Amino acid sequence: MSTTQSDRLRGLLEPLVAAKGLDLEDIEMSKAGKRRMLRVIVDSDEGVELDACAELSREVSDKLDESDVMGEDEYVLEVSSPGADRPLTEHRHYVRAIDRLVKFQLAEGGELIARILDVDDEGIDLEVPGVKGRKATARRIAFTDIAKARVEIEFNRKDKKEEEA
């Protein structure tokens, strides 16, 4: 997708998405057979429900039909939320990942798996799990020290409410 088309799509869709109280995370264009696939990815601090995606999809479709931004060729529209394993790239992504286990690729090399406890403008407070019976340790990491970060999926973690009961 050309930068100009991407910018035009973002300019057209961002107000619609913001009116729903959502963040426009990404716009992706790809080929799906003979058709093009336009994927609009949205999120919010509370997550995104399926009904909200469906409603927004109808509004985005109507807006695109009124516009010439997609041209005359057929395309498939998909409005969805980002997957659980999406990269953390924005400050708000780290805030939304508080209390989640995250795998960090460090800028100086190496990796770290830790739970996000708090986020501020400069960096993140972490809890590094203990190994072989050792207690967890606290650690602070600056955003500038992070090359990549991605939430780790936890299948067997107890909910805080369960732990407190």
Side-chain angles (χ1 to χ4, degrees), residues 97-109:
I98 287 176
D99 200 40
R100 305 281 309 267
L101 198 62
V102 174
K103 182 176 187 178
F104 297 93
Q105 298 292 326
L106 304 177
E108 293 181 2

Side-chain angles (χ1 to χ4, degrees), residues 26-124:
D26 201 6
I27 299 172
E28 301 170 353
M29 180 73 76
S30 61
K31 284 280 195 185
K34 292 182 180 180
R35 293 187 183 168
R36 296 174 296 162
M37 168 75 93
L38 174 62
R39 182 172 291 124
V40 179
I41 301 171
V42 297
D43 202 3
S44 79
D45 290 345
E46 295 79 36
V48 182
E49 293 185 6
L50 187 58
D51 289 344
C53 283
E55 183 178 329
L56 181 60
S57 179
R58 286 187 290 276
E59 291 181 22
V60 166
S61 179
D62 290 345
K63 194 70 159 177
L64 291 173
D65 288 347
E66 295 170 6
S67 154
D68 67 344
V69 72
M70 291 301 292
E72 296 298 317
D73 296 335
E74 291 184 27
Y75 64 93
V76 175
L77 173 64
E78 177 183 303
V79 176
S80 65
S81 62
D85 63 343
R86 66 116 180 257
L88 305 179
T89 57
E90 302 284 335
H91 184 272
R92 67 178 178 266
H93 298 164
Y94 290 96
V95 171
R96 291 174 185 159
I98 287 176
D99 200 40
R100 305 281 309 267
L101 198 62
V102 174
K103 182 176 187 178
F104 297 93
Q105 298 292 326
L106 304 177
E108 293 181 2
E111 66 181 37
L112 171 67
I113 297 177
R115 189 166 311 281
I116 296 179
L117 300 177
D118 196 21
V119 178
D120 60 32
D121 291 340
E122 286 80 40
I124 307 166

Side-chain angles (χ1 to χ4, degrees), residues 5-18:
Q5 185 182 29
S6 177
D7 291 343
R8 287 183 65 205
L9 280 167
R10 187 167 284 281
L12 186 69
L13 301 181
E14 210 148 31
L16 279 177
V17 173

